[in-house]
Every structure is written in C-alpha cells, then in structure tokens.
Amino acid sequence: MWDGLVIGGGIAGLMAGIRAQERGKRVLIVSEGTGSLAFASGGLDFGTVEQLRKIERHPYALLGETVEEAFAYFLQCCPSYHGAWGRTGMALTPLGTLRAADLLPEGLDASPLTHANRIVLVVPEGLKDFFPEVVKANLQKQFISSNIQLKRIRLKEFADWQAIGKPIPDTVYAKFWCSEQGRETLKNLIGEITRKMVSDSETLVFPGLHAAACPEVEKILAQAPLPVVEMTSFPPSAAGQALYDRLRGRFKALGGELLIGSGVERVEVESGQARRAIVKSKGKEISFTAKVFVLATGGFFGRGSVASSTEVRETVLGLPLYVPPEWSESRFLGEQPYAYTGVEVDHSLHPCDPVTGKVLLENVFVVGRMLAHWDPWVGHCGGGVSLSSGFLAGGLL
Amino acid sequence: MNRRYVRRDGDRQADNKLNLDPARGEDGMHLDACIKCGACTAQCPVAAVYPLFPGPKSVGPDAERLRLEGIALAPGCLAYCTNCKTCEVTCPSGVCITDMILQVRRQEQEAGTGKAICRLGMRDHLLGRAEYLGRLGTLWPPLANTVLGWKITRRLLEKTLGISARAPLPRYGRKFRTSDIAPVVGKTQSHGETESYGETERYGQSEEHGRGKTEHGCRKTEPSDRVKTDRKGRSTQKVVYFPGCFISYNDEATGQAVVKVLEHNGFEVIVPGFHCCGVPLTANGRFREATANAQHNLGLMQPYLEQGIPVIASCTSCGLALKEDYPRVSAPGAQRIGAQTYDLFEFLWVLHERGELRKDFREVQASLAYHAPCHLKAQGIGTPSVRILRLIPGVKIQELDAGCCGLSGSFAFKAEKYELSLQIGSTLFQRVQGGVKEKAFQAVATECGGCQVQIEHGSGAPSLNPVWVLYQAYGLGISSAIG
C-alpha cells in the first residue's frame, strides 16, 4: 500500500511526488513514457497571475496563494533556476528572438544582452536545428547598437558526425561540454574569446551549452570574465531534459519510485474511493494499491483525455469532463476552446461532477493539464498551473 | 486499425474494424501513434555516441512507413541497435519501437540479407550460443578461465572472430546444479511428476549446500529454520526457477542464494533442465533457434504452468523474454507463461503485499547504489528490489539512474563495438566512481549479470546481485561485497 500513487510523470506529477515524499509520504509515480518535459524549453511560464485569478473557474482562481508558494518551492528544488515573483525574465528562442519566461535556468537568462556593445555568437559546427545567420539577424534587430560577431567552432570529437553530414543534437553537445574533455575545451574557448575582448561589455551567446545539467560547467561559467547566455532549442531539448532529470533525481533521492514505460491502464473504484491502479506490465496486469491517487495524465497530449468525433473521454478513471460546446475556432492562432476541456475540481483538487458540482472521489486529486478551464497558450501559464496544482496535491496527499 | 504496436489506447472497439493482412505483419499500420517527437532517439544510448546509427525513430516508426511500401533499409542498418528497449520505455505515446526493429531483423535473416560477412556470421553463431559456450566453459572452469585469460587467446579471438580482446568476458564457474544442495531425503524424491522432464532438478527443504567459500564469498552457515509448511500451516508451495545462462555457467553461487531465499520463504524450488531463454540468439539474428529454445522451455514449464505454479526469473533479460516473447511462441503453455512469470523481486514484493514475506531480517550495514538493468525497466514493474532491500534494517540504497551500462548481452564483446559500449556506459561509470570516492556507497547492486560484469569493468567498483543482501539479512550467509 502506497501513501500516494501519481499517474503521470510530467511536471505536475513530479512536483506532487516530490512534495509528498518530502513530507514523509511513500509515493509511486507511474508514467507511460518520460513525460513531455523533454519537449519544453526549460523555461516556465506563470502568466499574469493576478489577471488570470480573476477569471471564474480558472485553476488560479481555485489555487489562490498556492501559486506563489509553488513558485518559491520550485526555486528551492531547482537551485540552478532563477526568477522573482512578479518580474518576468527573457530567454532566446532557437531563432534568436526573445521570449518571456518567469522561471529560467540561470544560463538561459538573456538579460545581459541588453547592455552588451558586442555579442559573440558561438556557432558549434553541425549543431542540429541551429541557423546562425537567422539568429544573428534577429539579434541585430533586437539589439540595434550591438556589434554581433560569429565565432565558429569545430570540434574533432564530432569528426564522425561531420564526415557523414549528420546534424548533432544539442543533447549530444550538452553531454560533451559536461565531459572532462569538453570542460577543458570550454575553458580554452572562453579564454581565447576573452583575450580578444575589446570592451568590458561583451556577451557570449552559446547554443548547445546547458550548464544546468552539469555543476562543473556552471562553475566554469561563473568564473568566466564575461556573461554567457545560452539558447533554448527545438524539442527534444537539452534544457527541458535537464529539468526533467533534475526533478526526477530529486524525487528518487527522496525515496520515491518512478515506474516508466507502462502507464496506468485504469483505476478501480470501490464505494466512492479509488482503490488500485492497474498497470499493464509485460506479460500481465499488475495492481498497486494506494491511499490517495493523483491524476496527472497530461490532457490530450499525454493521452489523459482522448477525443473521438463525438465525445471526449478521461482515460484512466472515466471521470466526466467539462467539454466546451464548440471545440475549435477558425483563427489558427486564436483562442481554441478545446483547450478548456478537462476535469472540474473543488478547492482541494477533488474531481467534481460538471453538472451537479458534487465531489466524485474523495481520495483523488486532479492536477496540471487535466484541469478544466484554462488555456496554457493564451494565458501563458502552463508551468504555473502545473507546478502549483502539483505542489498543492503533494501537500494534501 | 491495428494496434499491435500501440500498448495503450482508448479506441479499442475500432481496432477490430479494419481487417489487415495478418501475413504481412500489417503492423505499423497505426504508426499515427508516433508523433515524431524524437524523444526515443534523444534517449537512445547508442545514437548519442554513434552517429552512424540513425536512432530508433528513424529505423523504427520512420522506416516502417517505407517498409510498408516495400522499401527496405540497407541491411546492417539495425546492427547497432542493442535491443535495450530504452526507446520503448521512453516513448510518451506507447509505440513498440523495438518490435518493429526486431521484425525487420527477422525478415532480414529469413531473406538472408542481414549478414554480409561470413566471419561475423560465425561470431553471431557463437555469441548467440551463450549456453553451449557455458557448457564448454563449465566442464573445467579453471582451464577455460586460464585460456581465455591469455592475451594470445584474446588476440586470436579478435583476429579470427572479431571478439574484442579487451571486453570483459565473464569468468566461468561451477555449473549451477542441484547436487550442490543436498536434498532432504524422502521429500524431494517423492514428487514424481518431474521425473520425465529430463534434467529436471529440484530443491527441497534442503540442508545447506556443503561448500565453503564461493565466488561471492558466502560462508557455510548453519541450516536456517526450515519450514515444511508455511506459517499458515499450508503445505509448502512450489515455484519453478529459471536460472538463465549467467547463473548456470558464470555465477552459480547467486543461483544458490536465490534458491535459499525462496526456500526461506517456504517455497519448494523446481529447476527443470532449461535451455537458454533465447535472448542471445535473438540478439545475434538467430530467430529460429530462439523459437526452438522457447518451445523446449515451454514444454518443460507446461505441467507446472497448468498447476498455476509461478515461474521465477532472477535474470532480467530472461524474465523479459518469458513475459514478452514466449507468449508469442506457438507452444502449449504460451498463453500462461506471460502472466505466471515473475521477476524474483517482483515475486517477493507480491509476497510482501500479501503479508507473506518473511521479515526475520538481521541488520545489514550496507550502503549501496542501485543500477536498474534496461530489461528490468522494460518489464514495467518498477524497481521492486529497491523496495525489498529498503525493508531491511541498516540497508541504505540509492538508485543511480545513469542509463544503460553498454554491455547489452554480447554487444560489447564485438571488437568494433567494444569502445562504443564503454562510451555508452560512461555516465554510469563516472557516477559510480564518484560515489565510491565520496564514500556515498560501497558497491553497486543490480540484478543483471551482464550489467554487473560491465560495471566492474568500466568503473572498478564491486557489483552484486541484490539477492545477496537479502541472503545475508535472512542469516543464510555473508556476502563479501557488502561485508
């Protein structure tokens, strides 16, 4: 018997697991795959919390002060992240434009660029999905008075990749910089650029480097005489992966168990209580009993909800969903109503009947993308809702 | 829609509506489950270090679309897939990527296009037969180990067969057999039903086997309190133990420890004369032979399966084969084997949940790192050995979570792949070395014999099967790796 069984190993599920484990609970997280953090940029959005809170039924309206607590708690869990409540930071996109984010690994913080006269853009040869000329042009547009230069680097360690013309993923580059040889190369490279430095307001933009994944690299950058700004990348991204690794590592270090590769098939309910989760392991179904269950199955993308042409289903508990009358809107980038589909909950995240408002299961908490009445793309609050609902569930569990 | 390649899906009813050609394997039809996110390739231990391997997304679901159109990949494209199944575990959409890859390998073999070089064909022939090599090696283990220890032998093997001169070939030991554990007279002989199964060996409520120090340094101990009946007064229950080649030929002491731990919990342990599970054969493209082995083994298991007796595997790759591959073999027992096979610690955890695991634990002062073998992860049962070991007072165990060790059965033994195997395992080795240096732990516990060998080879740290901790906690003996 587990104290808590979390269904889904994305950011909301991991947060719930970490918080509960820290409170001395025994938690099992069951996840279909590695969750979708590897597709994320590594930056987390909270959106304009005060505004969103005023929207009736928005998760922030239910979560109240928890959102700010979760923000602070996350910074404790992930010391390489920086952010200040109410102040939005900036990160570089893979195309060299700026995007807002509320929580960022220190390396992704692009603020040093605002007062750089000279920006040196490192161009690691063969880096996948990296277009130096586009990035340079976009940087120039945003930092008009800066002198932007490219610094091409070619590493003998990737000779095999270059010989066959195969692009090198940023996850592979990140792993190299973390190796002993990579760290040496990095030190020399920074030394070389520093020697040629003409003013003291130079900044290095360094794609494919993800210091958050490696404390030794963080140390090298902390000692560098000029700021180094990293870039986000297309999925699967090293920065998203590093965040996933960090949260997963934290959960396991606290004694939690993560079962990846076979999601929960269904949860059996007896007399108004969720009793056991059925996991389809190889060869047979196995069951795990728990006192409390957290539904963190990630909405449509995580297949926690599945839509057919006539209906939308919640796949694990069969909970009734709030489904908007119209699903889509003709403007592609407009507000898409389907995003509001999800489970309605009370203030303690218990699933409720969307018609009667009655609590359906006392020992189930619903978190993250499974919650109804929010749109992460319009509200820019995907990270915030997931973190704070996961945090709350972990505290209640 | 055919969902053979999709583990979980909401739309089962629709599955039966499309009638697809069963002969073709029709399989990848529902490739739509793959959203091309690339998470599998990003996690693939081989693709990260070897650029010539296109990665699971490309050779799996991407190439499957072409294969359905009759366009095949160049033969050999798949040779670097180690079948670790990390891609499958990673996939957020439940696509069975390795099934696709294995099916193409099978087709390549049947079409005779898979193996271009005869020398390597010979090598595959040899490495696939861990069992026969084991039988040879265990005839006179000191001789086998000495000869295989000579540099000249290893160089010759590399020159002639392409078997790496530096790879950590496991040492041969005594063959795992029953006679090493004296059966209790009149008890084990009385069960006649196994007599007709050839080499069937069984362990009764035995006396301590009369050996002094073994490879793992388990000392001879006094016989523990043997239970003829379990604590609820029922007659002794039975389990079938599938030891696998590593236990049978390289590490029989661990096999004895497994048997004793099960006996300590009131089980009679039956070990029929199994052949190799077939995983090394499959990995070396010998699919027909693998199927024949499965049929042989299923034949031996069948009478026990019918009685509802569980089959226990302590090797995670054997266990995975029994659960995943055997149900697809056409043989009696195939329908039952998947549901009745348990990883050793999975089984012990079931006992624990039922309140039937004996918990007469002595304190064991051990601080261990745990490495989860890829084929344990692929079973989808979590890490039951960590759960069990955490029940024992004094034991500290922390999962390393540092990816694949790189050995992958016989992959690392191949001359052209040896260096690669070390690169794959480098993250793990560094983490182990760091932890040992900082005195965070003294040894690495992992169920897979191959992982143990590779971890010791790559990091220099001692490695052991977690069953030894339990063995010591039950007062059955002392394991040298944990003192």
Side-chain angles (χ1 to χ4, degrees):
Chain A
M1 172 81 88
W2 300 79
D3 294 324
L5 194 148
V6 181
I7 308 163
I11 188 162
L14 284 166
M15 205 23 92
I18 290 169
R19 176 95 170 104
Q21 239 357 106
E22 212 172 61
R23 291 173 50 243
K25 305 287 178 180
R26 277 185 66 247
V27 180
L28 172 70
I29 298 180
V30 181
S31 175
E32 173 112 39
T34 52
S36 52
L37 271 174
F39 310 140
S41 65
L44 295 167
D45 300 324
F46 274 65
T48 43
V49 180
E50 288 312 319
Q51 295 291 323
L52 295 170
R53 219 173 246 166
K54 290 178 192 148
I55 302 173
E56 202 192 345
R57 302 193 295 183
H58 190 283
Y60 278 170
L62 296 171
L63 290 161
E65 300 307 310
T66 311
V67 185
E68 196 168 344
E69 284 170 46
F71 186 93
Y73 183 76
F74 177 83
L75 287 173
Q76 266 176 41
C77 289
C78 301
S80 60
Y81 270 71
H82 287 240
W85 182 251
R87 209 177 63 222
T88 299
M90 286 289 172
L92 285 173
T93 68
L95 297 181
T97 55
L98 288 169
R99 61 98 82 203
D102 295 291
L103 286 166
L104 282 169
E106 192 176 10
L108 279 177
D109 175 12
S111 59
L113 290 170
T114 49
H115 32 79
N117 323 335
R118 190 160 169 268
I119 297 170
V120 179
L121 173 62
V122 177
V123 182
E125 177 139 348
L127 177 64
K128 191 176 181 213
D129 294 336
F130 174 61
F131 315 102
E133 300 303 334
V134 176
V135 173
K136 185 183 174 188
N138 277 326
L139 285 173
Q140 195 67 75
K141 267 188 223 162
Q142 293 160 104
F143 306 102
I144 300 165
S145 57
S146 298
N147 170 15
I148 298 162
Q149 299 198 331
L150 303 186
K151 166 74 186 163
R152 293 185 188 275
I153 54 167
R154 186 186 176 91
L155 302 171
K156 61 179 189 314
E157 286 79 4
F158 293 117
D160 291 349
W161 297 73
Q162 280 139 9
I164 56 168
K166 186 173 175 178
I168 304 157
D170 79 329
T171 45
V172 172
Y173 254 113
K175 196 178 170 195
F176 168 75
W177 295 121
C178 194
S179 71
E180 211 171 306
Q181 212 170 351
R183 299 200 299 266
E184 215 37 55
T185 313
L186 183 62
K187 272 189 227 161
N188 293 339
L189 180 68
I190 291 174
E192 187 195 325
I193 291 167
T194 314
R195 273 194 301 281
K196 291 184 193 154
M197 224 159 73
V198 284
S199 78
D200 56 2
S201 68
E202 288 194 11
T203 300
L204 208 56
V205 173
F206 208 136
L209 178 76
H210 293 285
C214 184
E216 288 93 341
V217 173
E218 275 184 322
K219 228 175 277 167
I220 295 172
L221 297 190
Q223 288 161 2
L226 78 176
V228 178
V229 175
E230 297 165 19
M231 294 180 74
T232 58
S233 60
F234 289 111
S237 84
Q241 185 63 43
L243 174 57
Y244 177 66
D245 290 345
R246 169 70 203 168
L247 294 176
R248 188 186 57 183
R250 175 101 185 119
F251 174 67
K252 286 188 177 179
L254 290 164
E257 181 169 339
L258 187 54
L259 194 166
I260 302 181
S262 43
V264 169
E265 187 83 351
R266 61 185 186 279
V267 172
E268 292 175 355
V269 176
E270 281 165 17
S271 48
Q273 298 265 316
R275 292 285 179 207
R276 60 190 78 79
I278 308 297
V279 172
K280 197 157 190 184
S281 79
K282 286 284 153 64
K284 60 180 170 297
E285 288 185 338
I286 52 177
S287 71
F288 293 97
T289 50
K291 292 179 193 148
V292 174
F293 294 79
V294 178
L295 188 71
T297 43
F300 290 110
F301 194 47
R303 289 198 293 159
S305 309
V306 169
S308 71
S309 55
T310 50
E311 55 148 22
V312 187
R313 280 187 318 113
E314 187 280 303
T315 53
V316 173
L317 279 147
L319 291 171
L321 296 169
Y322 164 78
V323 183
E326 291 295 322
W327 291 9
S328 61
E329 209 248 296
S330 57
R331 288 174 307 135
F332 180 69
L333 292 176
E335 204 166 308
Q336 294 293 342
Y338 85 89
Y340 293 79
T341 304
V343 181
E344 290 193 348
V345 293
D346 67 3
H347 281 84
S348 311
L349 302 173
H350 294 121
C352 297
D353 189 309
V355 181
T356 63
K358 208 178 116 236
V359 170
L360 295 167
L361 293 163
E362 291 283 356
N363 67 336
V364 172
F365 301 117
V366 181
V367 298
R369 201 63 199 95
M370 284 311 292
L371 294 170
H373 304 298
W374 67 294
D375 182 333
W377 301 288
V378 171
H380 299 289
C381 55
V385 171
S386 300
L387 279 181
S388 39
S389 57
F391 172 79
L392 179 60
L396 293 169
L397 190 153
Chain B
M1 277 176 286
N2 183 291
R3 302 291 179 135
R4 200 184 127 195
Y5 284 147
V6 184
R7 275 197 299 271
R8 192 188 104 197
D9 198 286
D11 211 5
R12 274 206 196 77
Q13 260 198 324
D15 284 0
N16 307 324
K17 288 184 183 162
L18 267 185
N19 204 0
L20 299 160
D21 172 18
R24 166 63 185 83
E26 44 344 59
D27 315 304
M29 287 305 168
H30 203 70
L31 288 168
D32 296 358
C34 172
I35 59 160
K36 308 293 164 202
C37 68
C40 55
T41 296
Q43 294 294 321
C44 172
V46 183
V49 294
Y50 185 63
L52 287 173
F53 180 58
K57 172 174 161 284
S58 304
V59 298
D62 287 0
E64 188 67 12
R65 287 195 187 279
L66 298 173
R67 287 191 282 262
L68 290 170
E69 297 292 325
I71 305 163
L73 290 181
C77 215
L78 305 173
Y80 278 80
C81 168
T82 65
N83 196 30
C84 71
K85 298 182 192 272
T86 303
C87 50
E88 227 165 84
V89 173
T90 301
C91 179
S93 306
V95 181
C96 296
I97 305 162
T98 50
D99 270 7
M100 296 181 190
I101 295 174
L102 281 174
Q103 177 168 310
V104 184
R105 279 186 165 170
R106 189 186 297 266
Q107 286 163 357
E108 277 185 1
Q109 191 221 3
E110 280 164 6
T113 53
K115 297 287 164 266
I117 308 163
C118 157
R119 182 174 77 110
L120 298 186
M122 264 296 288
R123 181 182 67 183
D124 288 354
H125 193 73
L126 207 64
L127 290 179
R129 285 162 182 76
E131 180 182 10
Y132 295 121
L133 294 178
R135 287 191 184 183
L136 267 176
T138 50
L139 282 179
W140 192 4
L143 178 71
N145 292 331
T146 307
V147 173
L148 283 174
W150 291 337
K151 278 190 179 147
I152 180 81
T153 322
R154 298 299 300 272
R155 269 193 229 126
L156 259 169
L157 279 174
E158 178 154 333
K159 285 264 181 265
T160 54
L161 289 168
I163 295 174
S164 167
R166 288 171 295 162
L169 294 183
R171 292 172 64 79
Y172 290 108
R174 293 162 55 114
K175 189 171 183 298
F176 176 68
R177 66 174 100 233
T178 44
S179 52
D180 291 344
I181 299 184
V184 172
V185 180
K187 169 135 183 65
T188 53
Q189 308 303 327
S190 63
H191 297 273
E193 78 271 17
T194 60
E195 298 301 322
S196 54
Y197 302 107
E199 300 168 52
T200 294
E201 305 182 349
R202 56 175 51 245
Y203 299 83
Q205 305 305 324
S206 68
E207 300 298 325
E208 177 63 34
H209 64 103
R211 300 185 51 213
K213 231 164 153 53
T214 69
E215 271 182 1
H216 280 264
C218 50
R219 285 204 311 254
K220 190 183 172 189
T221 56
E222 291 307 307
S224 59
D225 309 309
R226 300 295 173 166
V227 274
K228 295 273 192 294
T229 56
D230 73 10
R231 281 160 299 141
K232 290 184 179 161
R234 289 176 305 212
S235 64
T236 311
Q237 302 171 72
K238 295 173 194 169
V239 289
V240 170
Y241 176 40
F242 190 95
C245 293
F246 191 80
I247 293 289
S248 293
Y249 307 110
N250 305 105
D251 188 16
E252 60 97 34
T254 297
Q256 311 286 9
V258 171
V259 170
K260 289 184 167 300
V261 163
L262 286 167
E263 283 178 1
H264 189 76
N265 278 288
F267 287 90
E268 183 189 331
V269 183
I270 304 160
V271 188
F274 291 125
H275 282 321
C276 165
C277 69
V279 166
L281 289 162
T282 311
N284 287 287
R286 298 293 186 269
F287 292 93
R288 268 191 302 271
E289 292 92 326
T291 305
N293 275 25
Q295 284 164 335
H296 168 87
N297 293 337
L298 280 167
L300 294 177
M301 290 167 187
Q302 159 74 356
Y304 304 109
L305 292 173
E306 270 179 8
Q307 293 172 53
I309 297 175
V311 177
I312 312 284
S314 57
C315 164
T316 48
S317 295
C318 299
L320 181 64
L322 263 55
K323 289 175 172 187
E324 190 178 34
D325 301 339
Y326 279 33
R328 298 174 185 171
V329 169
S330 137
Q335 288 82 29
R336 292 172 177 268
I337 184 69
Q340 276 174 246
T341 299
Y342 293 83
D343 169 74
L344 171 68
F345 284 94
E346 178 192 11
F347 184 73
L348 296 173
W349 184 255
V350 171
L351 294 184
H352 168 69
E353 292 246 293
R354 282 194 212 137
E356 291 171 11
L357 182 77
R358 279 188 68 172
K359 296 201 188 65
D360 50 339
F361 298 132
R362 303 178 183 186
E363 186 175 311
V364 179
Q365 284 299 336
S367 98
L368 299 167
Y370 175 72
H371 165 71
C374 293
H375 284 178
L376 176 82
K377 291 184 194 162
Q379 289 185 30
I381 54 172
T383 47
S385 61
V386 175
R387 275 176 242 151
I388 295 278
L389 261 48
R390 280 185 178 149
L391 300 174
I392 300 170
V395 175
K396 272 187 259 162
I397 184 161
Q398 187 60 56
E399 193 179 336
L400 286 164
D401 207 4
C404 176
C405 76
L407 189 95
S408 289
S410 54
F411 183 84
F413 301 156
K414 300 176 179 175
E416 75 281 11
K417 290 166 182 157
Y418 168 73
E419 276 298 336
L420 200 58
S421 88
L422 289 185
Q423 279 179 46
I424 293 170
S426 63
T427 311
L428 172 63
F429 306 148
Q430 280 163 21
R431 206 163 289 178
V432 170
Q433 282 163 339
V436 171
K437 204 169 143 196
E438 289 162 19
K439 297 199 162 50
F441 48 82
Q442 57 199 110
V444 182
T446 185
E447 289 94 333
C448 170
C451 296
Q452 287 163 27
V453 169
Q454 177 83 341
I455 288 169
E456 291 186 356
H457 180 67
S459 73
S463 182
L464 76 163
N465 189 305
V467 78
W468 286 105
V469 185
L470 202 52
Y471 180 82
Q472 187 164 330
Y474 280 144
L476 299 167
I478 303 279
S479 169
S480 63
I482 44 173

